[in-house]
Amino acid sequence: KNEAEAADWYRRAAERKEPRAMSVYALMLIDGTVVAHDRPRGLALLRQLAEDGYSSADLLLGQVLEAGRGGAAPDLPGAVQQYKHGCDNTASEDAKRNGHTEACRRYAQMLKDGRGTDADPDKAAEVLKKLDVERILDAANDTLLKRDR
């Protein structure tokens, strides 16, 4: 009963467009956990979140597509596309905190291995180098902000 109540809570919060609830509910639909299996609806929720700039949705959607969760065959080109979208999304603090780095890492790995895309080790190295530069700049900004206080 508690699981069904939790699922109902996530459903209602997802209907109110609460991003975290939408992502949890989407995975419940994709996997058929506690709720009726509805992979297309779950994917649509994750895609909507990704379109709205919620970067962890790109990562989650990439993982779902890469693994073939919810009973579907893996969609490696689709996973590459979602990881790239999440990697390119650097416009918000949400992106930096919630999935951007991992999406970039996974995108680079798929480029390096040629999974779902043509192998491109140079592009993979470029993606990882960009992450290193972002990390260094973020650390420098944090240091400067602390010093100004």
Side-chain angles (χ1 to χ4, degrees):
K1 179 174 169 144
N2 288 344
E3 288 179 340
E5 287 177 14
D8 190 52
W9 182 89
Y10 281 115
R11 180 191 54 76
R12 286 181 305 194
E15 288 171 355
R16 291 190 309 271
K17 307 290 186 212
E18 204 294 316
R20 289 183 194 259
M22 286 175 75
S23 61
V24 170
Y25 188 61
L27 293 176
M28 293 172 90
L29 289 166
I30 289 165
D31 294 334
T33 307
V34 185
V35 299
H37 182 257
D38 190 346
R39 188 173 193 272
R41 187 167 165 220
L43 291 175
L45 283 173
L46 287 179
R47 284 191 175 102
Q48 182 60 56
L49 281 169
E51 294 283 323
D52 291 345
Y54 192 67
S55 63
S56 63
D58 285 303
L59 176 62
L60 287 173
L61 188 50
Q63 291 170 323
V64 165
L65 295 173
E66 183 178 5
R69 276 178 74 168
D75 175 3
L76 298 181
V80 169
Q81 181 180 358
Q82 286 309 137
Y83 292 147
K84 182 182 185 315
H85 187 265
C87 185
D88 290 344
N89 179 10
T90 60
S92 70
E93 283 304 308
D94 167 70
K96 291 180 181 173
R97 283 192 314 272
N98 297 314
H100 165 71
T101 300
E102 183 62 14
C104 289
R105 191 192 67 71
R106 287 176 178 257
Y107 175 51
Q109 189 66 52
M110 292 184 88
L111 283 168
K112 179 180 168 285
D113 296 343
R115 292 182 62 236
T117 188
D118 293 333
D120 191 343
D122 293 335
K123 177 69 175 172
E126 182 182 315
V127 169
L128 294 175
K129 184 177 179 180
K130 174 184 160 195
L131 275 181
D132 286 341
V133 169
E134 287 175 3
R135 194 172 58 233
I136 291 166
L137 290 174
D138 285 345
N141 284 335
D142 288 346
T143 301
L144 290 173
L145 289 173
K146 288 177 185 173
R147 191 179 313 157
D148 288 342
R149 291 183 188 162

